[in-house]
Amino acid sequence: MTTHTSFTLNGQPVTTAARPDMTVLDLLRNEMSARGTKEGCAEGDCGACTVLFRRGGQEGAELLAANACIMTVAQIDGGEIVTVEGLGGTKGVLNAVQDEMARNGSSQCGFCTPGIAVALSGLLARDPDPDEAAIHDALAGNLCRCTGYRPIVDAARAAAARLKAVDAEPNAAIAERTLVSSHTDASGVTAHRPHDLRGLLKLRRDHPDAVLLAGGTDLAVPLAGYETRWPVIIHTGHVAELRAIDTADETWTFGAAVTWEEALESVREEYPSFATLIRRFGSTQIRSMGTIGGNIGTASPIGDGPPALIALGATITLASLKGGERTMALEDFFLDYRKTELRADEVIVSVTVPRARQGEVMRTYKVSKRYDQDISTVCGAYWLRMDGDIVGDVRIAYGGMAATPKRAPHAEAALRGRALTVEAARAAGAALASDFAPLTDWRGSDRYRARAAAGLLERLARELSGETVEVMAL
Ligand SMILES: Cc1cc2nc3c(=O)[nH]c(=O)nc-3n(C[C@H](O)[C@H](O)[C@H](O)COP(=O)(O)OP(=O)(O)OC[C@H]3O[C@@H](n4cnc5c(N)ncnc54)[C@H](O)[C@@H]3O)c2cc1C
Ligand code: FES
Ligand code: FES
């Protein structure tokens, strides 16, 4: 075990003795003099702190935008970070995005500008010819409150055109870097980085109180307040079994440390509605780091993954050194508010999701205050097997309606064996009153939630009958 963390910063190998539970933003600004990376919200919302990140052991993989304010030193050992200072490759040289932002007046107070330059450079590095939707998607996690987005989007278009004109290779927006790898630990705080499942389970058994850290997009939010400290960390991001996606004829098995951005690619074609939901999951920065296992492990009643996965009939596999593996329906994993089946010595290994079959339909709808970068007020997910016009079988799951993500057995019974008419959907909507007693909070009142959940069922029936449903930001 070593006492230092090593990584590549803007092409240079660096080593730090910083505590593994320090945020990367603090590391960059306070220890590495890389102050171009800004702190705005310090909780993953505004994108001022955006850096490009490639985790250790992923040589050749894309550099992805991530929020340094909710990333920790424990996650970067052996990895690579590019900050705004490194975009041009050489100090003082602007890359195409930075140059076009200057030319297009894409900045006023400038606070958001480094994060936007980094986010757009990340986009052009992986997609040199982005369409309008891809540019807006890349900017969904970056808040600019004074310039307005038109000149920013103009700069992105102009930079893409410039790179295309010189026939640049993907990654030309960013200089190529080398990767340095080593183990992690530091003064008083220990970060373990196992590489296989057995190593992970052993560490979990030996350190039941350790923080089990995946992407950190939930866990690291309180770190910015300097009140939370993590004496022992176990980082799952390098465990091969947890990083794997296994595509079989009838199922996908996603390792728990697979990120939402990676999962998106698998489901895009067969479950376009699920893909749209994932696309609305935080921002590119959040999806690049946030994992499926973390979304389930955090057991939030308003997490977006669980309702969709439950509706699809997903199963979850847990494992410990002592008890071995056990698999259960995902809906049975959630017991009560933030209480799950997970034992102190267990980890989530994977989630298995049935692939689409003939005659089956899946839809999921998220209701939130903003389209981008917002948590659900209500999230409805629906899977149906149609026998002609009749609902042969159905699974309905909601987030935001109870203390856990949960199925709606009464609403399901109201639809099973019936034609999916608007009347049937309204009857199922009325049956939701027997399934849920929703809470009132600042996202929505109990009445609002109940009406929204019923309304989504009606939307489902109308959409599946071929009607075009006009919705505001849903
Ligand atoms: C700005 C912002 C926007 C967000 N938007 C959304 C959104 O739109 N929808 C949404 O659902 N969520 C959203 N989130 C929440 C978060 O991004 C997700 O829940 C994400 O999937 C968490 O994954 P992670 O890898 O970052 O988890 P971490 O923060 O690393 O961990 C979360 C929890 O899961 C546990 N855990 C992680 N891996 C395992 C494992 N293998 N076994 C057992 N336990 C494990 C951890 O110990 C911890 O308790 C947002 C967060 C932020 C900061
Ligand atoms: S400082 Fe706002 S996302 Fe990091
Ligand atoms: S230029 Fe001021 S916040 Fe974007």
Side-chain angles (χ1 to χ4, degrees):
M1 193 175 283
T2 63
T3 54
H4 290 79
T5 297
S6 300
F7 65 106
T8 303
L9 175 62
N10 296 329
Q12 298 301 318
V14 289
T15 294
T16 174
R19 295 169 58 125
D21 60 348
M22 178 184 278
T23 67
V24 170
L25 181 61
D26 281 348
L27 176 76
L28 292 172
R29 291 183 57 82
N30 301 337
E31 316 265 327
M32 303 272 154
S33 301
R35 298 200 181 90
T37 308
K38 304 295 179 209
E39 177 175 307
C41 64
E43 53 183 38
D45 276 317
C46 74
C49 65
T50 302
V51 296
L52 297 177
F53 176 59
R54 173 156 56 209
R55 69 183 77 218
Q58 300 271 294
E59 291 86 344
E62 288 160 347
L63 283 155
L64 293 172
N67 295 311
C69 68
I70 52 171
M71 199 197 294
T72 58
V73 171
Q75 290 163 274
I76 63 172
D77 192 53
E80 174 166 8
I81 288 179
V82 178
T83 65
V84 67
E85 290 91 348
L87 288 181
T90 312
K91 204 171 175 196
V93 175
L94 301 184
N95 77 354
V97 171
Q98 291 168 301
D99 193 43
E100 289 300 338
M101 285 185 75
R103 288 170 194 271
N104 282 274
S106 313
S107 178
Q108 284 188 35
C109 80
F111 202 81
C112 69
T113 307
I116 288 180
V118 173
L120 289 177
S121 299
L123 167 70
L124 296 188
R126 62 174 197 279
D127 178 4
D129 192 16
D131 60 17
E132 207 67 7
I135 294 173
H136 285 277
D137 193 22
L139 290 170
N142 293 82
L143 220 56
C144 174
R145 55 184 188 159
C146 45
T147 301
Y149 285 81
R150 189 195 45 74
I152 296 172
V153 172
D154 287 348
R157 277 199 221 103
R162 254 168 77 173
L163 290 171
K164 210 166 155 190
V166 296
D167 199 18
E169 291 290 314
N171 272 329
I174 304 151
E176 268 307 301
R177 322 282 177 195
T178 49
L179 208 74
V180 181
S181 200
S182 73
H183 283 83
T184 311
D185 178 334
S187 48
V189 179
T190 307
H192 298 286
R193 200 183 63 165
H195 287 252
D196 64 8
L197 182 59
R198 194 170 167 74
L200 172 66
L201 296 181
K202 200 164 168 299
L203 283 163
R204 197 63 188 137
R205 180 198 61 192
D206 296 343
H207 304 282
D209 295 328
V211 168
L212 193 63
L213 173 69
T217 60
D218 275 309
L219 275 174
V221 171
L223 282 183
Y226 300 99
E227 279 153 19
T228 307
R229 282 293 171 235
W230 299 338
V232 185
I233 300 163
I234 304 170
H235 180 36
T236 63
H238 298 88
V239 177
E241 293 89 335
L242 269 62
R243 293 278 307 134
I245 300 179
D246 180 20
T247 303
D249 284 348
E250 303 210 328
T251 54
W252 295 290
T253 297
F254 296 104
V258 167
T259 66
W260 284 108
E261 197 67 17
E262 291 162 343
L264 180 58
E265 290 312 312
S266 299
V267 304
R268 199 190 289 278
E269 222 168 274
E270 290 178 41
Y271 295 123
S273 178
F274 189 17
T276 302
L277 179 79
I278 298 177
R279 148 69 189 81
R280 291 186 56 197
F281 193 112
S283 57
T284 307
Q285 288 92 324
I286 295 296
R287 292 192 300 275
S288 299
M289 297 299 290
T291 63
I292 298 185
N295 197 229
I296 294 171
T298 204
S300 163
I302 48 172
D304 287 326
L309 293 168
I310 289 172
L312 285 171
T315 56
I316 185 168
T317 298
L318 315 175
S320 69
L321 215 52
K322 192 169 154 208
E325 281 194 353
R326 56 188 183 123
T327 297
M328 64 189 72
L330 180 58
E331 64 195 79
D332 297 332
F333 177 73
F334 301 103
L335 300 177
D336 202 342
Y337 181 70
R338 304 260 185 192
K339 285 208 178 75
T340 68
E341 274 282 343
L342 197 73
R343 298 176 188 141
D345 64 344
E346 273 183 326
V347 304
I348 302 169
V349 178
S350 60
V351 179
T352 298
V353 184
R355 297 180 61 180
R357 278 174 297 205
Q358 197 73 27
E360 295 177 356
V361 185
M362 190 269 180
R363 290 284 190 284
T364 174
Y365 308 121
K366 169 168 175 167
V367 180
S368 57
K369 287 181 185 276
R370 276 189 317 188
Y371 186 83
D372 279 319
Q373 183 75 311
D374 202 2
I375 308 275
S376 288
T377 308
V378 173
C379 182
Y382 314 90
W383 169 90
L384 302 100
R385 200 196 65 237
M386 301 301 291
D387 296 337
D389 287 342
I390 304 297
V391 177
D393 199 5
V394 56
R395 278 190 296 268
I396 298 174
Y398 281 97
M401 292 290 286
T404 62
K406 192 174 156 310
R407 266 176 84 172
H410 291 88
E412 289 174 4
L415 287 183
R416 217 170 267 125
R418 294 186 63 181
L420 187 60
T421 57
V422 168
E423 290 65 37
R426 285 183 180 155
L432 288 174
S434 307
D435 290 318
F436 299 108
L439 279 176
T440 293
D441 65 12
W442 68 272
R443 288 181 199 284
S445 65
D446 52 353
R447 268 189 69 220
Y448 174 83
R449 285 190 153 99
R451 288 185 65 180
L456 294 181
L457 274 164
E458 186 169 331
R459 177 179 171 189
L460 173 79
R462 288 186 186 276
E463 270 190 10
L464 294 187
S465 73
E467 214 177 293
T468 306
V469 181
E470 296 286 342
V471 280
M472 289 280 293
L474 288 182

